[in-house]
């Protein structure tokens, strides 16, 4: 039995359709999952339906972008109202910002690097939606051979501070937290061990600011933070009496992250966030991470059969 409350589908920047993400979770033995696409709930209905068919417990989720001290901070909303008017309005605003930023990124590629069509290419990679992420640009650049690897697109053009990383001002931490609470969801700070601050107390300040705003949990373990950070985050959760979340943050086989449900698990003395959402499951035992290098034969066959092994 495993639990994973953070992963992505092609409704944002993941590779698989929402239904296929659920199928993969079923194959991997995930018993409780949440789909948490960036700034959109559009994959949730399909995923929830498939999860019912597959007997997987499903929590509707989202990973909302916020800006704090000039940095993008991600806040997962678990148990949010996927289809409410407030949700639609909130993310329509963010999508408009993402589209405008995507157009600007496309202009910079053309003006400074002579690379034409990046905006249109990214929209295509995003499945026609305008909920554009830098990852869509990176995937397009790699597909078109402008860079040798997906990661090289970030290193050369798109990482923070690089020429095509157009800064954006997402809603503040308290705006995002208010929105999530307002729809009946629980705000969980995503991958706290991944943010870059000059001093470690600044991360602690961020977490306290998030909690003052009404945040109730942090991802103590995450496939997208260094495992060395997990123990420190467990201590923070204990100190501040925050509930514990966990997730693989899986997107695709492009990255070396652990597959759904195979991220590290947090210590059993912490209060699991899912219990606050009415799911009466204990903290599961940890399982070995499964990465693209260590795919089991059955999982590899599934990717091949589904046509997702790029
Ligand atoms: P965006 O929300 O459009 O700013 O894109 C943020 C996403 O880009 C993150 O969630 C990561 O998946 C990816 N990303 C950001 N910086 C890097 C980096 N240096 N290397 C690889 N991926 C990155
Ligand atoms: Mn992403
Ligand atoms: Mn994130
Ligand atoms: Mn994520």
């Amino acid at each position: 039995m495993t639990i994973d409350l953070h992963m992505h589908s092609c409704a944002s920047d993941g590779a698989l359709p929402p239904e296929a993400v659920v199928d993969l979770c079923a194959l991997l033995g995930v018993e409780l999952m949440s789909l948490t696409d960036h700034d959109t709930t559009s994959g949730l209905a399909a995923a929830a339906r498939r999860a019912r068919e597959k007997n997987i417990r499903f929590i509707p989720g989202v990973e909302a972008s916020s800006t704090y001290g000039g940095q993008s901070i991600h806040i997962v909303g678990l148990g949010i109202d996927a289809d409410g008017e407030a949700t639609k309005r909130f993310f329509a605003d963010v999508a408009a910002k993402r589209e405008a930023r995507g157009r600007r990124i496309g202009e910079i590629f053309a003006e400074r690097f002579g690379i034409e069509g990046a905006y249109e290419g990214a929209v295509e990679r995003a499945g026609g939606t305008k909920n554009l992420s830098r990852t869509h640009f990176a995937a397009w650049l790699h597909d078109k051979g402008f860079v040798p690897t997906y990661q090289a697109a970030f290193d050369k053009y798109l990482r923070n501070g690089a020429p095509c990383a157009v800064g954006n001002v997402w809603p503040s931490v308290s705006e995002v937290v208010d929105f999530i609470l307002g729809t009946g969801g629980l705000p969980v700070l995503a991958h706290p061990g991944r943010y870059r601050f000059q001093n470690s107390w600044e991360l602690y300040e961020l977490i306290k600011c998030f909690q003052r705003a009404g945040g109730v949990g942090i991802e103590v373990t995450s496939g997208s933070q260094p495992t060395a950070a997990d123990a420190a985050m467990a201590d923070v959760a204990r100190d501040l009496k925050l509930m514990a979340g966990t997730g693989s943050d899986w997107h695709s086989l492009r990255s070396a992250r652990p597959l759904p449900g195979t991220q590290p698990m947090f210590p059993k003395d912490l209060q699991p966030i899912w219990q606050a959402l009415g799911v009466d499951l204990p903290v599961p035992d940890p399982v070995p991470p499964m990465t693209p290098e260590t795919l089991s034969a059955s999982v590899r066959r599934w990717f091949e059969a589904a046509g997702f092994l790029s």
Side-chain angles (χ1 to χ4, degrees):
M1 191 271 269
T2 59
I3 292 177
D4 188 338
L5 300 180
H6 186 150
M7 63 191 92
H8 296 270
S9 76
C10 66
S12 63
D13 58 348
L16 309 187
E19 295 90 337
V21 176
V22 176
D23 290 350
L24 178 61
C25 283
L27 184 66
L28 290 165
V30 176
E31 189 164 317
L32 169 66
M33 68 177 287
S34 180
L35 180 67
T36 54
D37 277 306
H38 296 285
D39 300 315
T40 180
T41 57
S42 65
L44 292 178
R49 223 176 300 123
R50 183 65 66 102
R52 266 195 303 278
E53 287 165 20
K54 294 276 178 180
N55 249 329
I56 294 180
R57 299 170 87 158
F58 185 82
I59 294 173
V62 73
E63 182 176 18
S65 307
S66 71
T67 300
Y68 173 93
Q71 189 173 176
S72 280
I73 298 295
H74 290 170
I75 299 173
V76 166
L78 294 177
I80 66 152
D81 170 17
D83 306 312
E85 278 310 310
T87 304
K88 283 187 196 144
R89 221 174 317 117
F90 189 85
F91 290 125
D93 276 0
V94 176
K97 285 183 176 163
R98 284 191 173 276
E99 181 183 5
R101 172 201 197 217
R103 286 188 194 278
R104 184 67 203 125
I105 291 175
E107 284 166 11
I108 297 172
F109 272 115
E111 287 162 9
R112 292 200 41 190
F113 299 101
I115 296 174
E116 302 283 343
Y119 170 79
E120 292 75 11
V123 170
E124 196 188 316
R125 293 294 316 202
T129 75
K130 303 286 171 75
N131 191 29
L132 288 180
S133 161
R134 280 179 282 163
T135 56
H136 297 123
F137 284 89
W140 179 79
L141 287 165
H142 180 223
D143 287 349
K144 291 285 167 193
F146 288 111
V147 284
T149 62
Y150 169 82
Q151 185 57 44
F154 271 97
D155 296 344
K156 184 165 182 198
Y157 299 112
L158 292 160
R159 73 178 154 73
N160 293 343
C164 301
V166 175
N168 211 335
V169 182
W170 311 121
S172 68
V173 167
S174 69
E175 282 170 320
V176 170
V177 166
D178 281 349
F179 153 69
I180 292 169
L181 291 171
T183 78
L186 298 183
V188 178
L189 185 66
H191 42 65
R194 207 173 90 185
Y195 304 119
R196 289 287 150 259
F197 292 102
Q198 229 128 49
N199 307 291
S200 59
W201 59 263
E202 291 176 273
L203 174 59
Y204 203 71
E205 278 308 307
L206 160 65
I207 296 171
K208 286 199 289 191
C209 158
F210 167 75
Q211 187 174 34
R212 273 197 306 275
V216 298
I218 60 173
E219 289 182 342
V220 171
T221 57
S222 164
S224 72
Q225 77 188 9
T227 46
D230 295 354
M233 291 310 127
D235 283 339
V236 170
R238 285 186 196 102
D239 282 356
L240 297 178
K241 301 199 183 342
L242 285 158
M243 288 185 272
T246 183
S248 62
D249 202 1
W250 192 75
H251 287 66
S252 74
L253 292 179
R254 275 181 198 274
S255 97
R257 283 181 198 167
L259 270 74
T262 75
Q263 79 283 0
M265 189 44 62
F266 57 77
K268 297 197 182 197
D269 65 294
L270 298 179
Q271 175 68 39
I273 188 87
W274 58 84
Q275 292 181 359
L277 289 156
V279 179
D280 189 21
L281 287 175
V283 179
D285 292 325
V287 297
M290 187 185 291
T291 66
E293 284 73 48
T294 63
L295 286 190
S296 69
S298 62
V299 173
R300 178 173 294 280
R301 271 198 306 277
W302 181 86
F303 274 99
E304 274 163 7
F308 296 129
L309 206 58
S310 50

